[in-house]
Each structure stands twice: as structure tokens, then as C-alpha cells.
Amino acid sequence: DQQVKQNSPSLSVQEGRISILNCDYTNSMFDYFLWYKKYPAEGPTFLISISSIKDKNEDGRFTVFLNKSAKHLSLHIVPSQPGDSAVYFCAATGANNLFFGTGTRLTVIP
Amino acid sequence: SAVISQKPSRDICQRGTSLTIQCQVDSQVTMMFWYRQQPGQSLTLIATANQGSEATYESGFVIDKFPISRPNLTFSTLTVSNMSPEDSSIYLCSVLASGFSYEQYFGPGTRLTVT
């Protein structure tokens, strides 16, 4: 059973516009959420995270929002750049195990 | 940050054979993790490898199929045994960013195709 879901397998955005990647989870015991970015032939790299006690965390162009009542988090990238084109995974943890979504492929069009 | 390398980067193997994947970290770490990403699927944790003790396997994964070695604090191997086409995946090792962090650094992955 998939505890972390990314329902959009792909997303295309014009350069300079906002990219919004969404993630839903089912386990209310998760207490930490992370976003990873993955380029082809490379392993995932950590991007940004948020604790369950917060509803927003911002780091430069990247902002993660958490809506615990809806069990939903989103990653906003603004402005989007062509170098942001990658697969983005959200992940959640409540113990020692990281649960990953299936990823969303973001394409930023120049 | 930790720099992680994996060998081989990719391989094509015959059904019934075994492949050992190596993971090397540039710093000493207590815990190393092995993940699998099957086509179109999320990353799934196979096992956690601690130096000096047996690996801890997640539900659905067994030692006979995925034996793991952890001879020291910078190195680990994962063997995929008696392979079938269903084992075709990307296999990744990872380590914690720090002892008090949920963040993990990942290796580049090993793309395995079983024919």
C-alpha cells in the first residue's frame, strides 16, 4: 500500500513561472517530510524538508507547504529555471524508514 | 555532505545468476541503506546495514535473496541472487546526512537489467 503518493507523473512549466508539485500521504504518524530531486543517471539529492510542526519552509526559490489536516504537501519553485528539470520525489518518515512517492517529472521549458 | 560511489553503474545479467553491487562512502558512517526503484515505482527500502551486525530487512525482502555485507564503516555490498526479470531495477545505497538527521545522501545507483 502506497503511503506517499504523487498523482502527477509529469509537469511542464514555462521558464520564469511557478512550478507546483503535489504530494499526498496517508499515515498521520509521519513527522518529517522531504523533497528530493533526481537527474538521470544520478541518485536523488536532498532539496528541502519540513517538520510536521510547521506549515511552511522556505529556502531560496523553493518553498514547501504542509497541510496536515489534508495530509498534503506541496513544493513550489519560483521562478522555475531550465536546470530545475528533473524528477522530484517527496518522502515522509516517522521512524527509521523513508517512504517515497513515485516521483513527478518536471520539465521547465525555456 | 557524503560522496557515495557505486559499482557497477549498470549491468545486464542472465536469469538465474547473481550480481554483487558495491557501495563506497568517503566518510565513516554507522548506517547504510539499500533501496530499489523498479520501473515506474517509488524508491523502496530493502534493508539497513550496520557495521558489525546483520542487516535488517524490510517486509518482502529476505537475506537469501539480497545478502548484504558491511565489512567496515565506509563500504557495503548488496548481492541480488538467483535473478529473474522482476529484479530489473535501479539499486541505490544511501547514508544519513548526520546522526540526527532524516536526510539521506544517495549514491548514483546501479541499473540492473535481467534477461
PDB file of all heavy atoms in Angstrom, chain B residues 61-97:
ATOM      1  N   PHE B  61      11.519  -8.537   1.749  1.00  0.00           N
ATOM      2  CA  PHE B  61      12.907  -8.762   1.334  1.00  0.00           C
ATOM      3  C   PHE B  61      13.574  -9.717   2.324  1.00  0.00           C
ATOM      4  O   PHE B  61      13.404  -9.577   3.527  1.00  0.00           O
ATOM      5  CB  PHE B  61      13.682  -7.438   1.276  1.00  0.00           C
ATOM      6  CG  PHE B  61      13.125  -6.452   0.296  1.00  0.00           C
ATOM      7  CD1 PHE B  61      12.243  -5.462   0.716  1.00  0.00           C
ATOM      8  CD2 PHE B  61      13.450  -6.525  -1.046  1.00  0.00           C
ATOM      9  CE1 PHE B  61      11.710  -4.555  -0.186  1.00  0.00           C
ATOM     10  CE2 PHE B  61      12.938  -5.619  -1.960  1.00  0.00           C
ATOM     11  CZ  PHE B  61      12.054  -4.631  -1.531  1.00  0.00           C
ATOM     12  N   VAL B  62      14.324 -10.686   1.787  1.00  0.00           N
ATOM     13  CA  VAL B  62      14.952 -11.691   2.647  1.00  0.00           C
ATOM     14  C   VAL B  62      16.435 -11.789   2.356  1.00  0.00           C
ATOM     15  O   VAL B  62      16.898 -11.514   1.249  1.00  0.00           O
ATOM     16  CB  VAL B  62      14.282 -13.072   2.490  1.00  0.00           C
ATOM     17  CG1 VAL B  62      12.843 -13.026   2.960  1.00  0.00           C
ATOM     18  CG2 VAL B  62      14.356 -13.553   1.051  1.00  0.00           C
ATOM     19  N   ILE B  63      17.158 -12.244   3.351  1.00  0.00           N
ATOM     20  CA  ILE B  63      18.614 -12.296   3.267  1.00  0.00           C
ATOM     21  C   ILE B  63      19.092 -13.258   2.189  1.00  0.00           C
ATOM     22  O   ILE B  63      20.109 -13.016   1.540  1.00  0.00           O
ATOM     23  CB  ILE B  63      19.220 -12.654   4.644  1.00  0.00           C
ATOM     24  CG1 ILE B  63      20.745 -12.538   4.614  1.00  0.00           C
ATOM     25  CG2 ILE B  63      18.781 -14.037   5.088  1.00  0.00           C
ATOM     26  CD1 ILE B  63      21.384 -12.656   5.979  1.00  0.00           C
ATOM     27  N   ASP B  64      18.366 -14.348   1.968  1.00  0.00           N
ATOM     28  CA  ASP B  64      18.802 -15.320   0.972  1.00  0.00           C
ATOM     29  C   ASP B  64      18.777 -14.726  -0.430  1.00  0.00           C
ATOM     30  O   ASP B  64      19.574 -15.103  -1.274  1.00  0.00           O
ATOM     31  CB  ASP B  64      17.922 -16.560   1.010  1.00  0.00           C
ATOM     32  CG  ASP B  64      18.154 -17.384   2.262  1.00  0.00           C
ATOM     33  OD1 ASP B  64      19.177 -17.144   2.947  1.00  0.00           O
ATOM     34  OD2 ASP B  64      17.328 -18.254   2.580  1.00  0.00           O
ATOM     35  N   LYS B  65      17.862 -13.820  -0.659  1.00  0.00           N
ATOM     36  CA  LYS B  65      17.722 -13.200  -1.969  1.00  0.00           C
ATOM     37  C   LYS B  65      18.639 -11.978  -2.108  1.00  0.00           C
ATOM     38  O   LYS B  65      19.183 -11.727  -3.171  1.00  0.00           O
ATOM     39  CB  LYS B  65      16.263 -12.778  -2.173  1.00  0.00           C
ATOM     40  CG  LYS B  65      15.980 -12.018  -3.456  1.00  0.00           C
ATOM     41  CD  LYS B  65      16.155 -12.900  -4.687  1.00  0.00           C
ATOM     42  CE  LYS B  65      15.769 -12.118  -5.952  1.00  0.00           C
ATOM     43  NZ  LYS B  65      16.005 -12.924  -7.172  1.00  0.00           N
ATOM     44  N   PHE B  66      18.787 -11.241  -1.028  1.00  0.00           N
ATOM     45  CA  PHE B  66      19.572  -9.995  -1.058  1.00  0.00           C
ATOM     46  C   PHE B  66      20.610  -9.980   0.077  1.00  0.00           C
ATOM     47  O   PHE B  66      20.532  -9.155   0.989  1.00  0.00           O
ATOM     48  CB  PHE B  66      18.650  -8.777  -0.916  1.00  0.00           C
ATOM     49  CG  PHE B  66      17.668  -8.614  -2.026  1.00  0.00           C
ATOM     50  CD1 PHE B  66      16.337  -8.991  -1.853  1.00  0.00           C
ATOM     51  CD2 PHE B  66      18.052  -8.072  -3.246  1.00  0.00           C
ATOM     52  CE1 PHE B  66      15.415  -8.834  -2.883  1.00  0.00           C
ATOM     53  CE2 PHE B  66      17.139  -7.907  -4.276  1.00  0.00           C
ATOM     54  CZ  PHE B  66      15.818  -8.294  -4.093  1.00  0.00           C
ATOM     55  N   PRO B  67      21.588 -10.876   0.033  1.00  0.00           N
ATOM     56  CA  PRO B  67      22.603 -10.842   1.096  1.00  0.00           C
ATOM     57  C   PRO B  67      23.403  -9.544   1.051  1.00  0.00           C
ATOM     58  O   PRO B  67      23.712  -9.028  -0.023  1.00  0.00           O
ATOM     59  CB  PRO B  67      23.476 -12.074   0.788  1.00  0.00           C
ATOM     60  CG  PRO B  67      23.173 -12.432  -0.625  1.00  0.00           C
ATOM     61  CD  PRO B  67      21.792 -11.963  -0.923  1.00  0.00           C
ATOM     62  N   ILE B  68      23.700  -9.033   2.210  1.00  0.00           N
ATOM     63  CA  ILE B  68      24.397  -7.753   2.354  1.00  0.00           C
ATOM     64  C   ILE B  68      25.632  -7.955   3.222  1.00  0.00           C
ATOM     65  O   ILE B  68      25.591  -8.672   4.219  1.00  0.00           O
ATOM     66  CB  ILE B  68      23.468  -6.703   3.009  1.00  0.00           C
ATOM     67  CG1 ILE B  68      22.388  -6.247   2.024  1.00  0.00           C
ATOM     68  CG2 ILE B  68      24.251  -5.500   3.531  1.00  0.00           C
ATOM     69  CD1 ILE B  68      21.313  -5.372   2.648  1.00  0.00           C
ATOM     70  N   SER B  69      26.703  -7.332   2.827  1.00  0.00           N
ATOM     71  CA  SER B  69      27.893  -7.313   3.665  1.00  0.00           C
ATOM     72  C   SER B  69      28.189  -5.888   4.090  1.00  0.00           C
ATOM     73  O   SER B  69      27.868  -4.928   3.375  1.00  0.00           O
ATOM     74  CB  SER B  69      29.100  -7.906   2.929  1.00  0.00           C
ATOM     75  OG  SER B  69      29.652  -6.956   2.038  1.00  0.00           O
ATOM     76  N   ARG B  70      28.783  -5.739   5.266  1.00  0.00           N
ATOM     77  CA  ARG B  70      29.158  -4.413   5.767  1.00  0.00           C
ATOM     78  C   ARG B  70      30.462  -4.590   6.539  1.00  0.00           C
ATOM     79  O   ARG B  70      30.480  -4.553   7.767  1.00  0.00           O
ATOM     80  CB  ARG B  70      28.041  -3.862   6.658  1.00  0.00           C
ATOM     81  CG  ARG B  70      28.270  -2.477   7.138  1.00  0.00           C
ATOM     82  CD  ARG B  70      27.950  -1.453   6.085  1.00  0.00           C
ATOM     83  NE  ARG B  70      28.701  -0.234   6.315  1.00  0.00           N
ATOM     84  CZ  ARG B  70      28.323   0.741   7.148  1.00  0.00           C
ATOM     85  NH1 ARG B  70      27.181   0.626   7.811  1.00  0.00           N
ATOM     86  NH2 ARG B  70      29.075   1.799   7.305  1.00  0.00           N
ATOM     87  N   PRO B  71      31.559  -4.790   5.816  1.00  0.00           N
ATOM     88  CA  PRO B  71      32.825  -5.123   6.479  1.00  0.00           C
ATOM     89  C   PRO B  71      33.460  -3.979   7.254  1.00  0.00           C
ATOM     90  O   PRO B  71      34.255  -4.232   8.157  1.00  0.00           O
ATOM     91  CB  PRO B  71      33.726  -5.544   5.313  1.00  0.00           C
ATOM     92  CG  PRO B  71      33.161  -4.824   4.128  1.00  0.00           C
ATOM     93  CD  PRO B  71      31.687  -4.769   4.356  1.00  0.00           C
ATOM     94  N   ASN B  72      33.139  -2.740   6.904  1.00  0.00           N
ATOM     95  CA  ASN B  72      33.705  -1.590   7.622  1.00  0.00           C
ATOM     96  C   ASN B  72      32.753  -0.405   7.523  1.00  0.00           C
ATOM     97  O   ASN B  72      31.648  -0.534   6.966  1.00  0.00           O
ATOM     98  CB  ASN B  72      35.098  -1.249   7.087  1.00  0.00           C
ATOM     99  CG  ASN B  72      35.084  -0.948   5.600  1.00  0.00           C
ATOM    100  OD1 ASN B  72      34.309  -0.121   5.132  1.00  0.00           O
ATOM    101  ND2 ASN B  72      35.939  -1.643   4.850  1.00  0.00           N
ATOM    102  N   LEU B  73      33.175   0.722   8.035  1.00  0.00           N
ATOM    103  CA  LEU B  73      32.276   1.877   8.142  1.00  0.00           C
ATOM    104  C   LEU B  73      32.153   2.686   6.860  1.00  0.00           C
ATOM    105  O   LEU B  73      31.430   3.683   6.824  1.00  0.00           O
ATOM    106  CB  LEU B  73      32.756   2.792   9.281  1.00  0.00           C
ATOM    107  CG  LEU B  73      32.571   2.235  10.684  1.00  0.00           C
ATOM    108  CD1 LEU B  73      33.257   3.134  11.710  1.00  0.00           C
ATOM    109  CD2 LEU B  73      31.103   2.073  11.033  1.00  0.00           C
ATOM    110  N   THR B  74      32.864   2.291   5.802  1.00  0.00           N
ATOM    111  CA  THR B  74      32.789   3.054   4.555  1.00  0.00           C
ATOM    112  C   THR B  74      32.336   2.222   3.364  1.00  0.00           C
ATOM    113  O   THR B  74      32.256   2.730   2.245  1.00  0.00           O
ATOM    114  CB  THR B  74      34.172   3.670   4.204  1.00  0.00           C
ATOM    115  OG1 THR B  74      35.110   2.607   3.976  1.00  0.00           O
ATOM    116  CG2 THR B  74      34.671   4.572   5.334  1.00  0.00           C
ATOM    117  N   PHE B  75      32.024   0.976   3.570  1.00  0.00           N
ATOM    118  CA  PHE B  75      31.785   0.081   2.436  1.00  0.00           C
ATOM    119  C   PHE B  75      30.667  -0.901   2.740  1.00  0.00           C
ATOM    120  O   PHE B  75      30.508  -1.372   3.872  1.00  0.00           O
ATOM    121  CB  PHE B  75      33.085  -0.669   2.122  1.00  0.00           C
ATOM    122  CG  PHE B  75      33.034  -1.500   0.873  1.00  0.00           C
ATOM    123  CD1 PHE B  75      33.182  -0.910  -0.380  1.00  0.00           C
ATOM    124  CD2 PHE B  75      32.861  -2.877   0.940  1.00  0.00           C
ATOM    125  CE1 PHE B  75      33.147  -1.671  -1.539  1.00  0.00           C
ATOM    126  CE2 PHE B  75      32.825  -3.643  -0.210  1.00  0.00           C
ATOM    127  CZ  PHE B  75      32.977  -3.043  -1.451  1.00  0.00           C
ATOM    128  N   SER B  76      29.897  -1.214   1.691  1.00  0.00           N
ATOM    129  CA  SER B  76      28.865  -2.234   1.803  1.00  0.00           C
ATOM    130  C   SER B  76      28.641  -2.857   0.431  1.00  0.00           C
ATOM    131  O   SER B  76      28.912  -2.234  -0.607  1.00  0.00           O
ATOM    132  CB  SER B  76      27.552  -1.633   2.316  1.00  0.00           C
ATOM    133  OG  SER B  76      26.533  -2.619   2.390  1.00  0.00           O
ATOM    134  N   THR B  77      28.176  -4.096   0.425  1.00  0.00           N
ATOM    135  CA  THR B  77      27.766  -4.725  -0.827  1.00  0.00           C
ATOM    136  C   THR B  77      26.368  -5.292  -0.672  1.00  0.00           C
ATOM    137  O   THR B  77      25.960  -5.716   0.407  1.00  0.00           O
ATOM    138  CB  THR B  77      28.708  -5.862  -1.251  1.00  0.00           C
ATOM    139  OG1 THR B  77      28.610  -6.944  -0.327  1.00  0.00           O
ATOM    140  CG2 THR B  77      30.142  -5.388  -1.351  1.00  0.00           C
ATOM    141  N   LEU B  78      25.651  -5.273  -1.784  1.00  0.00           N
ATOM    142  CA  LEU B  78      24.335  -5.903  -1.896  1.00  0.00           C
ATOM    143  C   LEU B  78      24.425  -6.902  -3.032  1.00  0.00           C
ATOM    144  O   LEU B  78      24.843  -6.544  -4.141  1.00  0.00           O
ATOM    145  CB  LEU B  78      23.255  -4.866  -2.192  1.00  0.00           C
ATOM    146  CG  LEU B  78      21.880  -5.419  -2.566  1.00  0.00           C
ATOM    147  CD1 LEU B  78      21.149  -5.929  -1.339  1.00  0.00           C
ATOM    148  CD2 LEU B  78      21.034  -4.358  -3.275  1.00  0.00           C
ATOM    149  N   THR B  79      24.046  -8.140  -2.783  1.00  0.00           N
ATOM    150  CA  THR B  79      24.012  -9.146  -3.830  1.00  0.00           C
ATOM    151  C   THR B  79      22.562  -9.436  -4.188  1.00  0.00           C
ATOM    152  O   THR B  79      21.730  -9.629  -3.301  1.00  0.00           O
ATOM    153  CB  THR B  79      24.716 -10.439  -3.383  1.00  0.00           C
ATOM    154  OG1 THR B  79      26.086 -10.136  -3.099  1.00  0.00           O
ATOM    155  CG2 THR B  79      24.653 -11.496  -4.468  1.00  0.00           C
ATOM    156  N   VAL B  80      22.278  -9.430  -5.452  1.00  0.00           N
ATOM    157  CA  VAL B  80      20.963  -9.847  -5.944  1.00  0.00           C
ATOM    158  C   VAL B  80      21.146 -11.266  -6.453  1.00  0.00           C
ATOM    159  O   VAL B  80      21.857 -11.491  -7.447  1.00  0.00           O
ATOM    160  CB  VAL B  80      20.440  -8.914  -7.048  1.00  0.00           C
ATOM    161  CG1 VAL B  80      19.006  -9.285  -7.423  1.00  0.00           C
ATOM    162  CG2 VAL B  80      20.515  -7.458  -6.608  1.00  0.00           C
ATOM    163  N   SER B  81      20.533 -12.226  -5.769  1.00  0.00           N
ATOM    164  CA  SER B  81      20.803 -13.635  -6.026  1.00  0.00           C
ATOM    165  C   SER B  81      19.730 -14.266  -6.902  1.00  0.00           C
ATOM    166  O   SER B  81      18.560 -13.856  -6.875  1.00  0.00           O
ATOM    167  CB  SER B  81      20.862 -14.402  -4.690  1.00  0.00           C
ATOM    168  OG  SER B  81      21.822 -13.861  -3.831  1.00  0.00           O
ATOM    169  N   ASN B  82      20.162 -15.260  -7.664  1.00  0.00           N
ATOM    170  CA  ASN B  82      19.225 -16.048  -8.471  1.00  0.00           C
ATOM    171  C   ASN B  82      18.230 -15.117  -9.180  1.00  0.00           C
ATOM    172  O   ASN B  82      17.013 -15.195  -8.972  1.00  0.00           O
ATOM    173  CB  ASN B  82      18.485 -17.057  -7.594  1.00  0.00           C
ATOM    174  CG  ASN B  82      17.646 -18.023  -8.401  1.00  0.00           C
ATOM    175  OD1 ASN B  82      17.896 -18.248  -9.583  1.00  0.00           O
ATOM    176  ND2 ASN B  82      16.609 -18.566  -7.776  1.00  0.00           N
ATOM    177  N   MET B  83      18.758 -14.247  -9.993  1.00  0.00           N
ATOM    178  CA  MET B  83      17.965 -13.152 -10.550  1.00  0.00           C
ATOM    179  C   MET B  83      16.894 -13.618 -11.525  1.00  0.00           C
ATOM    180  O   MET B  83      17.053 -14.608 -12.254  1.00  0.00           O
ATOM    181  CB  MET B  83      18.889 -12.154 -11.236  1.00  0.00           C
ATOM    182  CG  MET B  83      19.708 -11.332 -10.246  1.00  0.00           C
ATOM    183  SD  MET B  83      20.707 -10.101 -11.054  1.00  0.00           S
ATOM    184  CE  MET B  83      22.029 -11.121 -11.702  1.00  0.00           C
ATOM    185  N   SER B  84      15.819 -12.881 -11.537  1.00  0.00           N
ATOM    186  CA  SER B  84      14.737 -13.057 -12.506  1.00  0.00           C
ATOM    187  C   SER B  84      14.453 -11.687 -13.123  1.00  0.00           C
ATOM    188  O   SER B  84      14.883 -10.655 -12.585  1.00  0.00           O
ATOM    189  CB  SER B  84      13.493 -13.605 -11.822  1.00  0.00           C
ATOM    190  OG  SER B  84      12.979 -12.655 -10.914  1.00  0.00           O
ATOM    191  N   PRO B  85      13.725 -11.637 -14.228  1.00  0.00           N
ATOM    192  CA  PRO B  85      13.427 -10.334 -14.842  1.00  0.00           C
ATOM    193  C   PRO B  85      12.762  -9.349 -13.885  1.00  0.00           C
ATOM    194  O   PRO B  85      12.933  -8.133 -14.039  1.00  0.00           O
ATOM    195  CB  PRO B  85      12.501 -10.713 -16.003  1.00  0.00           C
ATOM    196  CG  PRO B  85      12.950 -12.088 -16.382  1.00  0.00           C
ATOM    197  CD  PRO B  85      13.308 -12.757 -15.073  1.00  0.00           C
ATOM    198  N   GLU B  86      12.031  -9.858 -12.897  1.00  0.00           N
ATOM    199  CA  GLU B  86      11.370  -8.968 -11.931  1.00  0.00           C
ATOM    200  C   GLU B  86      12.372  -8.207 -11.063  1.00  0.00           C
ATOM    201  O   GLU B  86      12.006  -7.234 -10.394  1.00  0.00           O
ATOM    202  CB  GLU B  86      10.434  -9.764 -11.023  1.00  0.00           C
ATOM    203  CG  GLU B  86       9.205 -10.357 -11.713  1.00  0.00           C
ATOM    204  CD  GLU B  86       9.544 -11.491 -12.645  1.00  0.00           C
ATOM    205  OE1 GLU B  86      10.492 -12.267 -12.338  1.00  0.00           O
ATOM    206  OE2 GLU B  86       8.880 -11.621 -13.692  1.00  0.00           O
ATOM    207  N   ASP B  87      13.616  -8.640 -11.053  1.00  0.00           N
ATOM    208  CA  ASP B  87      14.655  -7.943 -10.287  1.00  0.00           C
ATOM    209  C   ASP B  87      15.256  -6.775 -11.056  1.00  0.00           C
ATOM    210  O   ASP B  87      16.086  -6.038 -10.513  1.00  0.00           O
ATOM    211  CB  ASP B  87      15.774  -8.910  -9.896  1.00  0.00           C
ATOM    212  CG  ASP B  87      15.312  -9.984  -8.938  1.00  0.00           C
ATOM    213  OD1 ASP B  87      14.527  -9.666  -8.025  1.00  0.00           O
ATOM    214  OD2 ASP B  87      15.716 -11.155  -9.118  1.00  0.00           O
ATOM    215  N   SER B  88      14.822  -6.581 -12.279  1.00  0.00           N
ATOM    216  CA  SER B  88      15.317  -5.439 -13.065  1.00  0.00           C
ATOM    217  C   SER B  88      14.886  -4.148 -12.380  1.00  0.00           C
ATOM    218  O   SER B  88      13.689  -3.875 -12.238  1.00  0.00           O
ATOM    219  CB  SER B  88      14.763  -5.505 -14.488  1.00  0.00           C
ATOM    220  OG  SER B  88      15.226  -6.654 -15.153  1.00  0.00           O
ATOM    221  N   SER B  89      15.848  -3.382 -11.946  1.00  0.00           N
ATOM    222  CA  SER B  89      15.581  -2.186 -11.139  1.00  0.00           C
ATOM    223  C   SER B  89      16.816  -1.319 -11.116  1.00  0.00           C
ATOM    224  O   SER B  89      17.885  -1.724 -11.563  1.00  0.00           O
ATOM    225  CB  SER B  89      15.276  -2.571  -9.677  1.00  0.00           C
ATOM    226  OG  SER B  89      14.014  -3.122  -9.514  1.00  0.00           O
ATOM    227  N   ILE B  90      16.641  -0.161 -10.514  1.00  0.00           N
ATOM    228  CA  ILE B  90      17.800   0.627 -10.099  1.00  0.00           C
ATOM    229  C   ILE B  90      17.998   0.361  -8.612  1.00  0.00           C
ATOM    230  O   ILE B  90      17.050   0.456  -7.828  1.00  0.00           O
ATOM    231  CB  ILE B  90      17.584   2.125 -10.350  1.00  0.00           C
ATOM    232  CG1 ILE B  90      17.377   2.388 -11.845  1.00  0.00           C
ATOM    233  CG2 ILE B  90      18.763   2.930  -9.815  1.00  0.00           C
ATOM    234  CD1 ILE B  90      17.007   3.818 -12.164  1.00  0.00           C
ATOM    235  N   TYR B  91      19.217   0.009  -8.246  1.00  0.00           N
ATOM    236  CA  TYR B  91      19.540  -0.239  -6.845  1.00  0.00           C
ATOM    237  C   TYR B  91      20.422   0.903  -6.352  1.00  0.00           C
ATOM    238  O   TYR B  91      21.419   1.254  -6.990  1.00  0.00           O
ATOM    239  CB  TYR B  91      20.246  -1.587  -6.688  1.00  0.00           C
ATOM    240  CG  TYR B  91      19.326  -2.749  -6.977  1.00  0.00           C
ATOM    241  CD1 TYR B  91      19.138  -3.201  -8.283  1.00  0.00           C
ATOM    242  CD2 TYR B  91      18.621  -3.381  -5.958  1.00  0.00           C
ATOM    243  CE1 TYR B  91      18.269  -4.236  -8.558  1.00  0.00           C
ATOM    244  CE2 TYR B  91      17.749  -4.420  -6.229  1.00  0.00           C
ATOM    245  CZ  TYR B  91      17.578  -4.842  -7.529  1.00  0.00           C
ATOM    246  OH  TYR B  91      16.702  -5.863  -7.795  1.00  0.00           O
ATOM    247  N   LEU B  92      20.034   1.487  -5.227  1.00  0.00           N
ATOM    248  CA  LEU B  92      20.762   2.639  -4.700  1.00  0.00           C
ATOM    249  C   LEU B  92      21.162   2.399  -3.250  1.00  0.00           C
ATOM    250  O   LEU B  92      20.384   1.833  -2.475  1.00  0.00           O
ATOM    251  CB  LEU B  92      19.906   3.909  -4.752  1.00  0.00           C
ATOM    252  CG  LEU B  92      19.367   4.340  -6.099  1.00  0.00           C
ATOM    253  CD1 LEU B  92      17.875   4.106  -6.180  1.00  0.00           C
ATOM    254  CD2 LEU B  92      19.664   5.803  -6.356  1.00  0.00           C
ATOM    255  N   CYS B  93      22.340   2.839  -2.902  1.00  0.00           N
ATOM    256  CA  CYS B  93      22.704   2.862  -1.491  1.00  0.00           C
ATOM    257  C   CYS B  93      22.653   4.302  -0.996  1.00  0.00           C
ATOM    258  O   CYS B  93      22.750   5.250  -1.792  1.00  0.00           O
ATOM    259  CB  CYS B  93      24.076   2.235  -1.244  1.00  0.00           C
ATOM    260  SG  CYS B  93      25.450   3.143  -1.924  1.00  0.00           S
ATOM    261  N   SER B  94      22.464   4.455   0.278  1.00  0.00           N
ATOM    262  CA  SER B  94      22.382   5.795   0.849  1.00  0.00           C
ATOM    263  C   SER B  94      22.896   5.783   2.288  1.00  0.00           C
ATOM    264  O   SER B  94      23.008   4.728   2.911  1.00  0.00           O
ATOM    265  CB  SER B  94      20.949   6.326   0.805  1.00  0.00           C
ATOM    266  OG  SER B  94      20.144   5.690   1.775  1.00  0.00           O
ATOM    267  N   VAL B  95      23.193   6.982   2.783  1.00  0.00           N
ATOM    268  CA  VAL B  95      23.621   7.152   4.170  1.00  0.00           C
ATOM    269  C   VAL B  95      22.895   8.355   4.743  1.00  0.00           C
ATOM    270  O   VAL B  95      22.423   9.223   4.002  1.00  0.00           O
ATOM    271  CB  VAL B  95      25.145   7.361   4.280  1.00  0.00           C
ATOM    272  CG1 VAL B  95      25.880   6.183   3.660  1.00  0.00           C
ATOM    273  CG2 VAL B  95      25.586   8.662   3.627  1.00  0.00           C
ATOM    274  N   LEU B  96      22.819   8.418   6.042  1.00  0.00           N
ATOM    275  CA  LEU B  96      22.223   9.570   6.693  1.00  0.00           C
ATOM    276  C   LEU B  96      23.151  10.769   6.583  1.00  0.00           C
ATOM    277  O   LEU B  96      24.370  10.627   6.656  1.00  0.00           O
ATOM    278  CB  LEU B  96      21.962   9.286   8.166  1.00  0.00           C
ATOM    279  CG  LEU B  96      20.818   8.333   8.503  1.00  0.00           C
ATOM    280  CD1 LEU B  96      20.779   8.065   9.989  1.00  0.00           C
ATOM    281  CD2 LEU B  96      19.494   8.899   8.033  1.00  0.00           C
ATOM    282  N   ALA B  97      22.539  11.951   6.410  1.00  0.00           N
ATOM    283  CA  ALA B  97      23.337  13.170   6.319  1.00  0.00           C
ATOM    284  C   ALA B  97      24.095  13.421   7.623  1.00  0.00           C
ATOM    285  O   ALA B  97      25.202  13.927   7.629  1.00  0.00           O
ATOM    286  CB  ALA B  97      22.437  14.357   5.979  1.00  0.00           C
TER     287      ALA B  97
END
